[in-house]
Amino acid sequence: MLQQTTVTAVMPYFERFLAAFPDVTALARAPQDRVMALWAGLGYYARARNLHACAQAVAARGGVFPDTVEGLLELPGIGAYTAAAIAAIAFGRPVVPVDGNVERVTSRLFALTDPLPAARKAIAARAVTLNADAQAKARPSDFAQALFDLGAGICTPRSPACVLCPWREACAGHAQGIAATLPRRAPKPVRPVRHGVHFCLVDEAGGLLLVRRPEKGLLGGMMGLPGPHWRDDPWPEAEALSLAPAAPRLQPHWRMVGQVKHVFTHFTLLVDVYAARIAAFPNSMAAAGCVHYPGDAAVALPSLMDKCVKVARKAGIF
DNA sequence: TATCCGTGGAA
DNA sequence: TTTCCAAGGAT
């Protein structure tokens, strides 16, 4: 959960997740849709699928985790960082997990000026030597977490508190007066704008028509409102409505209720939200792969879809 | 190696 | 308001 996600954002999800799945075998035997529902809103949904697969892999080994970096790397969703973190913190292996904090501390300590992400490998090569000291090697868990805390609390991205830093006198970045500018990053490409359309169809009972998205791609495996693919060009109303969910003898009166703006990592999405009410969903919609949820149920949606539903609700559709 | 993959808080 | 970026991994 903590991969690219702040502790503050993770905390409530972690509590709910552990309450639902107290141990690795409980997670392993849970249905995937339950796992995804508890992850909804946290983002990077491949992590949820990987974690579920990881739990099943561990369960298949008798519920015993590998206790080496090499063994941990075999598990889905566990890369170099997480393998080292578990090895050091859970099993006392003398390795250094290199996360964003450690990357920043290292680039400053050695005044490494080559820009990320190309310099990532070189920075990591220096970082893994930080525990060369015998006392550091003797306490892998404490050393790893001390490094994280140094980065999170003192060697911060902006305005680092060098005056408080225990490594100030050894820091080449500080000596050169460039610590705060490190690590350098390659200029980011401009974020393009893309366009989508989603349909919010509600029945008299307050039911909502949702579809499960494909496993691959954006919001993979999550529930969402139906709609055509997202593309570079806007969707004219006539074209959008020609793609609305339909069934024999069902002609909902669609109304554009608003536009939702959502910023993903690599593009901005503008979604036109159309909404309509019908008496009841025909069986053919369920047969087509659509799902009918009660409106008052705890429907777990990714944030984008949540925004779309809220726009429809604000417009008085339900 | 570069790109894809979410979201929200802080500055 | 915009920008940055957070206990990264898979392809």
Side-chain angles (χ1 to χ4, degrees):
Chain A
M1 284 181 172
L2 289 166
Q3 289 168 359
Q4 295 288 281
T5 307
T6 59
V7 173
T8 305
V10 162
M11 206 92 73
Y13 285 87
F14 180 80
E15 299 289 351
R16 283 194 296 270
F17 208 86
L18 267 290
F21 315 120
D23 57 48
V24 68
T25 57
L27 178 57
R29 63 173 175 264
Q32 192 190 40
D33 59 348
R34 174 115 176 94
V35 177
M36 301 312 287
L38 280 168
W39 202 281
L42 195 53
Y44 283 156
Y45 298 99
R47 294 181 300 177
R49 296 193 300 272
N50 287 335
L51 182 59
H52 193 210
C54 181
Q56 292 173 338
V58 172
R61 307 173 25 132
V64 179
F65 284 83
D67 64 355
T68 64
V69 168
E70 300 73 34
L72 289 161
L73 279 173
E74 298 293 319
L75 296 171
I78 295 188
Y81 161 74
T82 307
I86 295 172
I89 296 171
F91 298 116
R93 303 281 182 183
V95 291
V96 180
V98 184
D99 71 337
N101 289 306
V102 178
E103 209 168 54
R104 182 170 58 256
V105 169
T106 303
S107 69
R108 289 171 175 174
L109 189 60
F110 298 104
L112 305 177
T113 56
D114 290 345
L116 294 174
R120 186 148 285 148
K121 189 180 270 183
I123 294 174
R126 291 292 198 103
V128 298
T129 69
L130 289 175
N131 68 344
D133 180 271
Q135 294 188 55
K137 257 191 177 99
R139 298 167 62 186
S141 175
D142 288 339
F143 186 73
Q145 294 182 69
L147 264 184
F148 298 159
D149 286 342
L150 181 66
I154 292 177
C155 196
T156 53
R158 287 171 285 208
S159 310
C162 298
V163 66
L164 300 177
C165 183
W167 282 356
R168 181 182 63 252
E169 291 181 16
C171 183
H174 180 254
Q176 298 176 27
I178 59 173
T181 72
L182 302 177
R184 293 183 184 158
R185 296 177 189 276
K188 304 192 173 179
V190 292
R191 207 194 307 273
V193 175
R194 305 188 69 198
H195 299 268
V197 172
H198 285 286
F199 299 98
C200 190
L201 187 60
V202 184
D203 73 3
E204 294 300 333
L208 197 59
L209 187 65
L210 297 176
V211 297
R212 186 171 298 280
R213 299 176 58 81
E215 291 288 307
K216 304 271 185 185
L218 270 295
L219 312 181
M222 301 302 294
M223 300 303 294
L225 297 176
H229 65 277
W230 304 333
R231 68 182 192 187
D232 295 339
D233 298 318
W235 293 85
E237 179 162 344
E239 185 182 9
L241 291 183
S242 75
L243 298 167
R249 295 186 303 284
L250 178 63
Q251 297 295 334
H253 179 63
W254 293 106
R255 182 160 69 90
M256 223 278 263
V257 293
Q259 190 175 55
V260 164
K261 177 181 178 180
H262 191 77
V263 180
F264 288 106
T265 304
H266 49 295
F267 66 92
T268 295
L269 181 68
L270 296 179
V271 176
D272 294 328
V273 181
Y274 293 85
R277 306 181 57 144
I278 55 172
F281 291 112
N283 291 332
S284 58
M285 279 190 164
C290 299
V291 183
H292 175 205
Y293 277 89
D296 58 351
V299 177
L301 295 174
S303 293
L304 163 65
M305 298 300 170
D306 203 47
K307 288 183 192 175
C308 294
V309 172
K310 280 188 167 64
V311 164
R313 177 165 289 160
K314 193 168 182 178
I317 294 298
F318 68 107

